[in-house]
Amino acid sequence: LAKTTQPISMDSYEGQEVNITCSHNNIATNDYITWYQQFPSQGPRFIIQGYKTKVTNEVASLFIPADRKSSTLSLPRVSLSDTAVYYCLVRSGNTPLVFGKGTRLSVIA
Amino acid sequence: DAGVIQSPRHEVTEMGQEVTLRCKPISGHDYLFWYRQTMMRGLELLIYFNNNVPIDDSGMPEDRFSAKMPNASFSTLKIQPSEPRDSAVYFCASSSLGLGEQFFGPGTRLTVL
């Protein structure tokens, strides 16, 4: 399983764009990059998934360079409600998700 | 859909007692997962089922833990006997796209005194 490395914590002010970078140097050809979000006292929630280049949905964007050894989750104009732990995971079709410690994002007013 | 349902939401018990956690997956989902989350170890996968059959239980910490899925709409995670180090939040999750997007339940916070 590809190991991921992401910052332990980040702080941001409301209204700013937040970029969380994850490194996955050993990503395999069949692996996808997936991000989950976990609010306090709740289970994780799927945010976005991608294989290469850029993926965008109503919540976030995911940027993946050509070598796929890293990825960046971009949250536009964060609000206090975006305070959560964000997990970067690498998965292939036949392996279960392995969660690391994630990045604890604190949004400040 | 109501999402993944777990019960109880909170459980406080004494060391040595049997604890049973329950999960109802989202209807139509054929994968079910049990996770445990603690501050020290983060979110750990304990076991997962496909079509009610256990596929990988390598994350189950020891023989005191057991999980069953008697039908597609119900699963249990049992700890017998419980110990204080089992105190954690236990999450159940389900998915329908093979091992793709998982939907998590609200969790059961277990405290063993």
Side-chain angles (χ1 to χ4, degrees):
Chain A
L1 294 174
K3 179 180 171 60
T4 61
T5 302
Q6 54 184 123
I8 294 174
S9 63
M10 294 181 69
D11 294 331
S12 175
Y13 287 101
E14 274 191 299
Q16 291 188 329
E17 178 184 78
V18 171
N19 296 308
I20 306 174
T21 297
C22 176
S23 65
H24 26 79
N25 293 318
N26 297 322
I27 191 168
T29 303
N30 295 331
D31 288 342
Y32 284 76
I33 298 138
T34 303
W35 286 79
Y36 277 71
Q37 172 191 55
Q38 185 176 23
F39 296 116
S41 301
Q42 295 186 25
R45 182 183 71 148
F46 172 88
I47 302 177
I48 197 166
Q49 176 171 290
Y51 184 80
K52 62 181 180 181
T53 61
K54 177 184 175 182
V55 179
T56 297
N57 61 23
E58 65 277 5
V59 176
S61 294
L62 179 59
F63 299 91
I64 305 168
D67 66 5
R68 303 197 332 120
K69 292 184 182 300
S70 67
S71 60
T72 298
L73 175 73
S74 181
L75 305 172
R77 300 180 298 281
V78 295
S79 65
L80 295 176
S81 62
D82 292 315
T83 294
V85 178
Y86 293 82
Y87 297 95
C88 167
L89 303 98
V90 171
R91 57 166 288 268
S92 59
N94 294 320
T95 59
L97 298 176
V98 177
F99 287 81
K101 293 297 180 67
T103 297
R104 186 173 298 276
L105 172 66
S106 298
V107 180
I108 307 163
Chain B
D1 199 315
V4 175
I5 298 173
Q6 291 187 246
S7 65
R9 293 294 310 275
H10 301 272
E11 176 80 31
V12 179
T13 189
E14 292 187 346
M15 182 174 63
Q17 296 297 307
E18 177 180 294
V19 175
T20 299
L21 311 181
R22 298 173 176 79
C23 175
K24 177 179 169 56
I26 292 173
S27 177
H29 283 188
D30 54 0
Y31 280 84
L32 183 139
F33 307 82
W34 282 101
Y35 291 86
R36 177 173 69 175
Q37 186 170 38
T38 62
M39 287 295 293
M40 291 295 295
R41 300 177 67 88
L43 197 59
E44 305 172 278
L45 176 65
L46 300 177
I47 184 172
Y48 74 96
F49 296 81
N50 177 217
N51 292 322
N52 313 337
V53 176
I55 302 301
D56 185 352
D57 64 354
S58 60
M60 297 286 262
E62 47 196 277
D63 292 345
R64 297 184 298 106
F65 286 69
S66 63
K68 294 182 179 180
M69 191 164 187
N71 57 62
S73 60
F74 183 66
S75 177
T76 60
L77 178 68
K78 185 177 294 186
I79 308 173
Q80 166 63 20
S82 58
E83 297 182 2
R85 59 189 169 126
D86 302 329
S87 297
V89 180
Y90 290 81
F91 289 104
C92 175
S94 69
S95 71
S96 65
L97 300 174
L99 291 163
E101 179 182 350
Q102 295 181 14
F103 294 83
F104 283 75
T108 296
R109 181 174 296 276
L110 173 65
T111 302
V112 183
L113 303 174

